[in-house]
Amino acid sequence: MEHQKEAGVFATVSGLVDQLSDNPAAKMTAEEIAERVRKAQGQGVAG
């Protein structure tokens, strides 16, 4: 359950960075974080 909370925080923060940042590198990093969180959540559900 704690990991789900952490994943939610990462997803929220990366979404905000992606939406609010004008820095292309920050946007790419936010997208990468969001993708990794989605993959990790998928593995947690299946496992």
Side-chain angles (χ1 to χ4, degrees), residues 11-32:
T12 299
V13 170
S14 65
L16 288 172
V17 169
D18 188 36
Q19 291 173 13
L20 301 175
S21 177
D22 290 335
N23 183 326
K27 285 182 172 283
M28 288 176 50
T29 301
E31 290 172 10
E32 178 67 23

Side-chain angles (χ1 to χ4, degrees), residues 1-15 37 41:
M1 179 138 171
E2 190 64 31
H3 292 292
Q4 290 175 340
K5 290 180 187 176
E6 291 171 4
V9 170
F10 280 122
T12 299
V13 170
S14 65
V37 168
Q41 286 175 332

